[in-house]
Amino acid sequence: MFKIMVSDSLPTDILEKYNQTEGIEVVNKIGISMDDLKNEIADYDALVIRSRTKVKADILTAATNLKVIGRAGAGVDNVDTEEATKRGIIVMNTPGGNTMAATEHTIAMMLAGLRNIAPANASMLQGKWDRKTYIGNEIYQKTIGIVGLGKIGQEVAKRLASFDAKILGYDPIITSETAARLGVKLVDLNELLEQSDIVTIHAPKMPETIDMINAENLKLCKDGVMFVNCARGGIINEPAIMEALDNGKVGLACIDVFSSEPPADFKLAQHPKVLATPHLGASTEEAQTKVADQILEQIIEYAQKNVARNAVNFVSVDEEIQEFIAPFFKLAEKMGTVFNQIKPGRLKEISVRYYGNVLDVPVEPITSYLLVGALKSDNDVANINPVNAMTIAREGGVSLEIAKKDTPLTVHRNAIACDFITENGTIHLAGSFVGLNIFHLIEYGDFKLSAELSDQLLIIENNNVPGIIGKVGTLLGEVNVNISQMSSGRDGDEKMALNVFNVRGNISSDTLNNLEKINGINKVLLAKIDGIQG
Ligand code: NAD
Ligand code: MLT
């Protein structure tokens, strides 16, 4: 049973719907305390959160069976993603699921702030008819600066365009063509702050964006500028904006998000020039249904098919590519596994080349599988898997060189060739596959061969003289080891031969020693492939 805990508020009918899935248990623990979460998380394979649950190192340490953290929403700043990656835990979100909700909340805040809707309503509730105090301002022909032109920033831009506003944008990634299509002029952050009447924030919270708006650059703004923040608290430095509200530099701030939630004190939320909401950007029925559906679907897809859609700490591969790439994953892991068992020393570097229709395919995840095979017996304590393999390799000082070749490797359309460089020499292996499930070792050092990567490989390097295969067969027969297949290769000048036997049965170290004593045999190696399903 794959157990999913849901710790933050999501529609319970959606949780019940997915709880009907065979092999899946969705457990409603909405509102669980962090202490209880820590005590119970070891029983779960997956955790679904919104922004309330902070998945920090202490929770991850307790989460000994956790495979995936699903954020029903966009921002993953409440997850220690680096630590999760080290532990081999996938972190995924639901990009786009609440874009419209956050967009509409932004526009609602902007209009409500400009037209004093909240204070005017409060005065009406007190039985007052005050038309003078609540004179507002218009969006029409104002300059509006959008910081972060991703999904939400772009939708906000589209809606602001219909108000005939002049729109400026700042985003380090977006192209000026995309911006132009939206009617947005791209500028740098300082220019945006200098020229805007209204600034709205839609960037993610990360080290680079914390305090992005601060005491220093607030000075650049027009007097009386308005800020809207429906992204994350802390992107605008809170003490700095409080001071700017007090001294009139900032005329109005519409704030949905706070650096700690709920805020440690409500001074900013209660400031007379602030319109505040308690992180309601994504809180529409439509968005909550969508993100809950989306995250549970993604997690179940991961549990059933090993597809990590929308993973933020692993290259996600969509379903169409997954089908094509899956045999590469298996081949890579099998090749890594062979190397792992025959390696002459500690691994220092891997130089890998991918051949075939791989130009448009992300090959990093294939390399992760290669690393799993190559490192796993050394790293059992690290619970090595494709999510953490790159990190573990990097931290262990293994360097990687990856290349893609849009050509076959000799006659093999889809192939992987790899030099495993160790402290005591290099092992060169190449492998290929036929269909989805038949994998072959096609190069070993200078030898070309076609040895199926199945069962156990008994790799024998010998002088190219007659009689060796017979002697090996006799010796293996005596110890009850069955040969299921055999492949031979010669080196360039035909002096040496390589024989690879697929064998079934227990091969002891005594048997290996006895094989090595056969006249003409130089080296005997054994690599078990069982366990990686073809
Ligand atoms: P997105 O990933 O589509 O867009 C983020 C954009 O920010 C990207 O284009 C990126 O290039 C840009 N960016 C990155 N670093 C930047 C920087 N230093 N300066 C300016 N721009 C930068 O994400 P999205 O779906 O548009 O959501 C944006 C953020 O809004 C999320 O990260 C989340 O924290 C927040 N959010 C809040 C709510 C809410 O309830 N209030 C709801 C949804 C999203
Ligand atoms: C998000 O980042 O998607 C929002 O914070 C949504 C939420 O409230 O969960």
Side-chain angles (χ1 to χ4, degrees):
M1 188 64 76
F2 190 93
K3 282 181 81 178
I4 305 172
M5 181 200 282
V6 179
S7 65
D8 287 346
S9 171
L10 284 174
T12 49
D13 55 326
I14 305 280
L15 312 192
E16 276 150 28
K17 180 175 96 182
Y18 286 95
N19 202 22
Q20 311 300 319
T21 317
E22 208 190 320
I24 301 288
E25 189 182 347
V26 182
V27 183
N28 178 349
K29 291 275 177 178
I30 293 172
I32 189 172
S33 72
M34 290 307 117
D35 282 343
D36 288 347
L37 176 64
K38 213 183 300 174
N39 291 334
E40 294 178 28
I41 193 68
D43 282 345
Y44 290 87
D45 301 280
L47 173 67
V48 173
I49 56 167
R50 282 183 64 193
S51 55
R52 186 195 70 100
T53 302
K54 312 287 179 231
V55 191
K56 303 293 174 212
D58 57 335
I59 304 278
L60 291 168
T61 307
T64 44
N65 282 311
L66 202 67
K67 295 161 189 74
V68 51
I69 298 166
R71 166 67 160 105
V76 288
D77 45 288
N78 51 326
V79 179
D80 186 340
T81 308
E82 207 178 307
E83 189 59 33
T85 307
K86 275 191 204 156
R87 292 173 183 274
I89 300 169
I90 295 238
V91 181
M92 51 172 69
N93 65 354
T94 58
N98 56 27
T99 299
M100 288 309 160
T103 300
E104 291 184 11
H105 196 70
T106 303
I107 302 290
M109 291 289 266
M110 207 177 278
L111 286 168
L114 285 167
R115 301 309 293 268
N116 298 305
I117 305 284
N121 181 57
S123 88
M124 290 285 281
L125 291 175
Q126 289 171 3
K128 292 185 191 158
W129 185 255
D130 181 355
R131 299 186 65 216
K132 280 198 194 117
T133 312
Y134 303 117
I135 291 176
N137 290 100
E138 297 168 14
I139 294 181
Y140 179 63
Q141 291 192 339
K142 294 290 182 310
T143 299
I144 305 187
I146 302 180
V147 178
L149 273 169
K151 284 176 286 299
I152 298 169
Q154 293 191 23
E155 292 300 330
V156 167
K158 282 188 208 162
R159 279 142 191 84
L160 290 175
S162 70
F163 287 85
D164 286 339
K166 178 180 173 195
I167 310 169
L168 304 179
Y170 168 65
D171 189 303
I173 288 173
I174 196 124
T175 61
S176 37
E177 288 78 19
T178 304
R181 230 183 311 117
L182 294 160
V184 176
K185 184 180 170 211
L186 279 187
V187 292
D188 67 25
L189 181 61
N190 285 354
E191 199 178 336
L192 181 144
L193 293 175
E194 279 160 12
Q195 293 185 20
S196 298
D197 303 298
I198 302 171
V199 177
T200 180
I201 310 290
H202 300 289
K205 185 171 184 177
M206 45 190 191
E208 301 78 18
T209 59
I210 292 175
D211 293 339
M212 181 162 56
I213 309 296
N214 49 51
E216 206 47 48
N217 59 16
L218 274 170
K219 290 184 194 146
L220 303 172
C221 293
K222 289 181 181 176
D223 290 341
V225 63
M226 170 179 173
F227 274 89
V228 181
N229 187 3
C230 291
R232 277 294 179 275
I235 296 179
I236 304 181
N237 178 277
E238 289 180 351
I241 198 162
M242 274 288 275
E243 198 186 324
L245 284 159
D246 285 340
N247 66 28
K249 184 66 171 173
V250 174
L252 182 62
C254 301
I255 305 179
D256 182 47
V257 283
F258 294 82
S259 57
S260 66
E261 293 183 357
D265 72 54
F266 276 69
K267 276 193 198 136
L268 180 60
Q270 290 169 347
H271 195 284
K273 294 185 196 164
V274 169
L275 172 67
T277 46
H279 201 146
L280 293 183
S283 295
T284 62
E285 283 178 15
E286 296 88 335
Q288 288 317 297
T289 301
K290 209 164 161 190
V291 293
D293 250 324
Q294 212 172 315
I295 201 66
L296 285 164
E297 249 179 57
Q298 285 175 204
I299 289 177
I300 292 170
E301 189 181 16
Y302 179 71
Q304 294 175 337
K305 300 185 192 161
N306 213 18
V307 175
R309 225 176 345 130
N310 296 323
V312 299
N313 60 343
F314 185 62
V315 181
S316 10
V317 176
D318 62 36
E319 216 169 333
E320 282 158 42
I321 295 187
Q322 173 78 17
E323 238 169 69
F324 165 77
I325 213 172
F328 273 104
F329 289 164
K330 288 175 192 155
L331 175 63
E333 189 172 349
K334 284 172 191 281
M335 286 172 59
T337 302
V338 170
F339 158 76
N340 200 346
Q341 295 170 77
I342 63 172
K343 59 180 182 246
R346 280 180 72 85
L347 185 60
K348 286 198 316 189
E349 191 181 331
I350 293 182
S351 171
V352 56
R353 292 159 308 280
Y354 295 103
Y355 293 83
N357 304 322
V358 288
L359 282 197
D360 298 327
V361 171
V363 292
E364 289 79 4
I366 312 179
T367 310
S368 296
Y369 278 88
L370 186 80
L371 286 168
V372 169
L375 298 172
K376 86 179 152 205
S377 52
D378 286 342
N379 287 281
D380 281 342
V381 282
N383 186 23
I384 191 160
N385 69 16
V387 179
N388 59 13
M390 286 272 189
T391 309
I392 288 172
R394 200 173 38 246
E395 286 180 353
V398 177
S399 53
L400 282 173
E401 197 186 287
I402 303 172
K404 293 183 186 185
K405 308 270 180 194
D406 187 24
T407 53
L409 176 62
T410 62
V411 294
H412 302 278
R413 182 73 198 117
N414 294 312
I416 303 175
C418 193
D419 295 320
F420 297 93
I421 299 151
T422 80
E423 285 168 349
N424 300 323
T426 296
I427 299 243
H428 170 82
L429 300 177
S432 178
F433 53 87
V434 184
L436 297 178
N437 292 321
I438 301 174
F439 302 89
H440 285 108
L441 186 65
I442 55 172
E443 290 178 9
Y444 172 94
D446 292 335
F447 298 101
K448 309 264 185 267
L449 66 158
S450 181
E452 189 168 334
L453 285 159
S454 63
D455 304 315
Q456 306 172 86
L457 296 189
L458 186 60
I459 302 167
I460 298 185
E461 279 182 44
N462 51 273
N463 298 336
N464 188 11
V465 290
I468 301 269
I469 294 172
K471 287 178 193 161
V472 171
T474 307
L475 202 151
L476 291 178
E478 282 165 7
V479 290
N480 229 1
V481 169
N482 212 6
I483 300 172
S484 55
Q485 293 185 58
M486 199 204 97
S487 170
S488 296
R490 311 268 174 275
D491 67 353
D493 57 13
E494 304 243 336
K495 282 203 176 122
M496 299 293 296
L498 182 82
N499 291 300
V500 177
F501 300 83
N502 293 85
V503 290
R504 290 181 187 162
N506 183 31
I507 300 203
S508 65
S509 50
D510 280 351
T511 305
L512 293 177
N513 288 337
N514 291 337
L515 285 167
E516 221 158 35
K517 283 183 198 149
I518 294 175
N519 207 5
I521 289 186
N522 304 323
K523 197 191 257 181
V524 179
L525 298 162
L526 183 69
K528 293 182 183 163
I529 315 287
D530 328 6
I532 305 165
Q533 297 307 318

